[in-house]
Amino acid sequence: KKYQNATFDQKIYGVSFRLRYRLAEYLFQSLSYTLRQDNVENIDQNASRIIKEQAGRSNTSMVSQDIVYDRRDSIIDPTDGYMVGFGNDIAGLGGNVRYFKTRVYGTYYYPIADDVVFSLSARTGVMFGIGQKVRVVDRYTLGGDSLRGFELSGIGPRDINGRDPLGGLRYYAATAETTFPVGLPNEFGVKAAAFVDAGNLWHSGDPADQVVDKSGLRASIGIGLR
């Protein structure tokens, strides 16, 4: 679910195909195609007018690609090395939804001691509509797993009454994290992680007099188990 306590329901049906292949020793590319139908319904009467404009059924035909340079020592449980990548999504090759997304991301891992690993990651993204406004349900969201310490979609533009999250067209986020053992045998695969998350999401593309849109940095600090 993208939106915490959303004032609408979104039903999605579709299929996606993905192909990943090697371009060079450490360079990979993935291509994917997604065909999706979604319906926004059961909108609350007191929902934002911007949300009410999203009502109805739509069809999305989307092609995506990512190129990644990966020098990590492991894809599943990396302890050393780095990876950087960028990708794009283009919707509009069929269907009635048209937009373009681009993203850049990367992570660096450094072993401090046995089973203690420091990592630093960052990502950013921008999107815009192609001949039409980007729907709320297609915009970026931030919060929950994507920025710990905040509610799902808890960061970013909201309607003027402050209730409905509207998503955004631009975002950035970064994480500094240290993972370390908790005393259990390695085969359990359980570690602790101390982290700092920071980022922001802004610019919904909606009229300024209907939106609360703050551009200040949001951050959290915490510890958890993996």
Side-chain angles (χ1 to χ4, degrees):
K1 190 174 183 181
K2 282 182 76 174
Y3 295 95
Q4 186 80 11
N5 302 320
T7 54
F8 62 91
D9 293 334
Q10 182 187 14
K11 294 181 179 178
I12 303 174
Y13 307 91
V15 62
S16 182
F17 303 95
R18 184 172 182 266
L19 173 67
R20 186 175 188 264
Y21 51 90
R22 187 189 300 268
L23 296 174
E25 184 177 2
Y26 301 110
L27 188 65
F28 300 86
Q29 184 174 35
S30 63
L31 300 173
S32 64
Y33 173 73
T34 301
L35 182 63
R36 189 182 91 191
Q37 180 184 87
D38 58 291
N39 190 25
V40 176
E41 57 186 19
N42 298 329
I43 300 176
D44 290 354
Q45 290 185 352
N46 60 351
S48 165
R49 183 178 67 82
I50 297 171
I51 297 294
K52 292 178 180 178
E53 292 174 352
Q54 311 294 309
R57 182 173 297 173
S58 60
N59 298 298
T60 302
S61 175
M62 181 174 68
V63 175
S64 306
Q65 76 85 29
D66 278 85
I67 293 180
V68 176
Y69 185 73
D70 194 343
R71 294 298 302 265
R72 295 174 294 177
D73 60 346
S74 169
I75 295 177
I76 298 174
D77 188 19
T79 61
D80 194 6
Y82 64 93
M83 60 83 68
V84 292
F86 74 92
N88 312 104
D89 303 329
I90 181 167
L93 307 177
N96 58 353
V97 175
R98 296 184 294 277
Y99 61 79
F100 178 81
K101 283 184 176 181
T102 187
R103 56 191 168 273
V104 180
Y105 48 91
T107 306
Y108 171 74
Y109 298 89
Y110 180 77
I112 299 175
D114 290 342
D115 296 324
V116 180
V117 178
F118 172 77
S119 65
L120 185 64
S121 63
R123 60 195 185 278
T124 184
V126 176
M127 69 178 300
F128 55 85
I130 301 175
Q132 62 181 223
K133 181 179 176 181
V134 179
R135 302 181 307 160
V136 170
V137 294
D138 293 321
R139 299 172 189 171
Y140 293 116
T141 60
L142 200 59
D145 289 341
S146 60
L147 200 67
R148 292 165 289 188
F150 296 90
E151 288 187 349
L152 203 65
S153 65
I155 296 174
R158 292 181 176 269
D159 72 304
I160 198 67
N161 63 26
R163 179 180 180 187
D164 292 323
L166 302 174
L169 306 181
R170 302 168 187 168
Y171 85 97
Y172 63 86
T175 295
E177 182 174 86
T178 300
T179 58
F180 49 91
V182 293
L184 294 174
N186 289 336
E187 53 265 29
F188 281 90
V190 178
K191 297 180 180 179
F195 66 87
V196 177
D197 283 0
N200 194 33
L201 171 74
W202 73 101
H203 187 54
S204 68
D206 298 308
D209 61 347
Q210 300 179 34
V211 178
V212 177
D213 193 353
K214 298 180 180 179
S215 59
L217 179 72
R218 309 295 299 277
S220 64
I221 184 171
I223 189 168
L225 288 177
R226 281 187 173 172

